[in-house]
């Protein structure tokens, strides 16, 4: 997976700065200024409502189940890759699976991280249909680390509507250097939306790493202030030091049965290449049981000392009823 991460980083670093055309370009790309509310009113609503809506969405996203297929195209080499992720979760358990469907496999073609109420673990496959291998088993400190890694994987799949390039919107706005320059009501694909122009100048050494240095966010207040489009001025570390990169993110959503926006498609593009993710996520149906998040669900033995309560089979109840 290290080679994949370096390849994606090279894609990010391939961009060049277009220049200070953010606001004008937005208006030329099918968005006209709306007059339903004054710009000052939109600014107040954005600052008051958006962060709370993003946090609410993050809580909702913990019920999502499904998969995401991501295609990568590197312009400099013409190389293409296809990866697939799958998420499964309930109140106490989580599972994140990452598959290299097309592209170079450095170590494992499939990585699976999961946790339940008693332990966490990581499995791997050398080929897509190979046997499962136990890579890590979480005990004590490593159990917490594996659980966190699993949650980060799940969140990266489900958070497209509330994420800029790399950073969650609530974390981006919460930066001490984040400053709102201008807020305008705009029409975007027939919906009344809001365009927020911002600056966020900060050193690359800041942790956690936040590449977004400034740009424009187009948000939909009717869909939990989810992201529709972003034109971002990012900064990454290149061979000769910090490098500015112009990036465009487009997110398509649908309204689920819960009333929340569900990601359908996300595109990240710069001069280095294009990353396109297509989602098949659902917010309905039966919640997966805890036994689906155990080693035995993959035909592997449970850890020593771990025992699960076995439900009484229905026919035993019938037998007891017959005796009575």
């Amino acid at each position: 997976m290290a080679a994949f991460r370096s390849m994606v980083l090279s894609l990010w670093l391939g961009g060049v700065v277009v220049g200070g055309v953010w606001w004008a370009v937005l208006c030329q790309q099918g968005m006209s200024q709306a007059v339903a509310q004054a710009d000052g009113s939109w600014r107040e609503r954005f600052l008051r409502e958006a962060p709370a809506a993003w946090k609410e969405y993050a809580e909702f996203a913990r019920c999502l189940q499904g998969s995401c297929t991501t295609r990568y195209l590197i312009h400099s080499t013409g190389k293409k890759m296809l990866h697939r992720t799958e998420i499964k979760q309930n109140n106490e358990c989580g599972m994140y699976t990452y598959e290299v469907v097309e592209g170079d496999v450095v170590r494992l073609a499939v990585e699976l991280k999961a946790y339940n109420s008693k332990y966490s673990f990581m499995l791997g496959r050398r080929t897509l249909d190979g046997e499962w291998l136990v890579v890590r088993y979480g005990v004590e400190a490593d159990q917490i680390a594996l659980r966190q890694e699993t949650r980060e994987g799940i969140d990266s799949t489900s958070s497209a509507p509330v994420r800029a390039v790399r950073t969650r919107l609530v974390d981006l706005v919460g930066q001490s250097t984040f400053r709102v320059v201008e807020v305008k009501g705009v029409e975007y694909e027939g919906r009344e939306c809001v365009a927020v122009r911002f600056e966020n100048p900060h050193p690359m050494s800041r942790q956690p790493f936040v590449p977004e240095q400034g740009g424009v966010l187009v948000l939909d207040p009717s869909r939990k202030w989810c992201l529709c489009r972003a034109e971002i001025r990012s900064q990454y570390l290149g061979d000769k030091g910090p490098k500015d990169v112009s990036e465009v993110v487009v997110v398509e959503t649908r309204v689920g049965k819960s009333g929340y926006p569900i990601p359908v498609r996300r595109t990240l593009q710069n001069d280095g290449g294009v990353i396109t993710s297509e989602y098949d996520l659902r917010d309905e149906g039966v919640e997966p049981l805890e036994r689906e998040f155990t080693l035995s669900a993959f035909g592997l033995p449970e850890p020593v000392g771990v025992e699960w309560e076995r439900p009484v089979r229905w026919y035993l109840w019938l037998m007891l009823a017959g005796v009575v």
Side-chain angles (χ1 to χ4, degrees):
M1 298 304 170
F4 156 69
R5 286 191 288 268
S6 64
M7 191 170 297
V8 173
L9 182 59
S10 68
L11 185 155
W12 280 335
L13 295 178
V16 294
V17 178
V18 175
V21 295
W22 310 101
W23 210 242
V25 169
L26 280 174
C27 294
Q28 294 171 4
Q29 291 178 335
M31 287 178 285
S32 58
Q33 185 171 344
V35 295
Q37 293 190 47
D39 294 339
S41 176
W42 276 125
R43 182 188 183 98
E44 293 173 2
R45 283 193 59 189
F46 166 70
L47 295 174
R48 182 179 67 252
E49 298 176 11
W54 296 331
K55 291 179 181 179
E56 180 184 334
Y57 185 86
E59 288 299 316
F60 154 75
R62 297 180 76 93
C63 79
L64 292 175
Q65 321 284 340
S67 62
C68 172
T69 301
T70 302
R71 292 174 171 81
Y72 303 81
L73 172 62
I74 311 300
H75 288 332
S76 60
T77 62
K79 188 166 187 174
K80 298 179 180 180
M81 298 178 291
L82 176 62
H83 296 175
R84 182 179 181 275
T85 60
E86 183 174 353
I87 61 173
K88 181 187 294 188
Q89 54 188 332
N90 62 29
N91 288 335
E92 292 189 335
C93 309
M95 183 182 298
Y96 173 74
T97 307
Y98 185 95
E99 300 179 352
V100 180
V101 182
E102 296 177 8
D104 297 333
V105 176
V106 177
R107 193 165 67 97
L108 296 171
V110 183
E111 290 185 1
L112 182 149
K113 297 178 181 179
Y115 65 88
N116 52 53
S117 62
K118 296 186 177 182
Y119 62 90
S120 55
F121 60 93
M122 175 179 174
L123 305 180
R125 281 174 165 169
R126 299 191 187 281
T127 62
L128 292 177
D129 56 355
E131 294 184 357
W132 286 112
L133 307 172
V134 178
V135 180
R136 287 166 62 189
Y137 164 59
V139 293
E140 298 179 354
D142 196 40
Q143 180 175 1
I144 298 175
L146 259 176
R147 184 186 181 101
Q148 182 176 349
E149 291 172 19
T150 305
R151 285 264 29 119
E152 289 174 352
I154 294 172
D155 294 343
S156 69
T157 299
S158 62
S159 65
V162 291
R163 189 173 78 249
V165 173
R166 171 171 173 161
T167 310
R168 294 190 310 165
L169 294 175
V170 68
D171 295 331
L172 178 62
V173 173
Q175 296 268 299
S176 60
T177 49
F178 184 91
R179 181 173 64 89
V180 175
V181 177
E182 190 173 4
V183 181
K184 287 182 177 292
V186 297
E187 183 179 309
Y188 181 79
E189 296 188 348
R191 306 199 305 269
E192 188 176 22
C193 294
V194 177
V196 179
R197 184 158 61 96
F198 72 94
E199 291 294 336
N200 185 40
H202 61 277
M204 290 186 60
S205 58
R206 175 184 291 176
Q207 294 297 325
F209 175 60
V210 174
E212 296 91 344
Q213 296 280 337
V216 175
L217 306 170
V218 179
L219 309 168
D220 187 345
S222 70
R223 297 188 180 185
K224 301 298 178 182
W225 290 85
C226 71
L227 182 70
C228 301
R229 180 185 177 92
E231 298 201 9
I232 302 295
R233 186 176 67 258
S234 298
Q235 192 172 81
Y236 299 96
L237 183 61
D239 295 335
K240 299 180 180 180
K243 183 179 180 66
D244 288 334
V245 179
S246 174
E247 306 188 274
V248 177
V249 178
V250 177
V251 180
E252 300 173 25
T253 60
R254 63 177 176 85
V255 179
K257 289 194 173 182
S258 60
Y260 285 87
I262 310 295
V264 174
R265 182 183 176 95
R266 180 181 189 266
T267 303
L268 168 62
Q269 183 171 5
N270 61 35
D271 284 355
V274 183
I275 302 177
T276 303
S277 299
E278 296 180 342
Y279 300 85
D280 182 14
L281 299 176
R282 61 186 183 278
D283 59 343
E284 57 181 320
V286 179
E287 189 176 77
L289 301 175
E290 185 167 30
R291 64 170 177 261
E292 299 178 41
F293 301 84
T294 63
L295 286 170
S296 56
F298 299 90
L300 299 169
E302 290 293 299
V304 176
V306 173
E307 295 183 0
W308 298 98
E309 182 178 350
R310 297 182 179 181
V312 179
R313 293 178 174 82
W314 62 269
Y315 59 81
L316 293 180
W317 287 109
L318 292 178
M319 292 172 60
L320 290 173
V323 171
V324 175

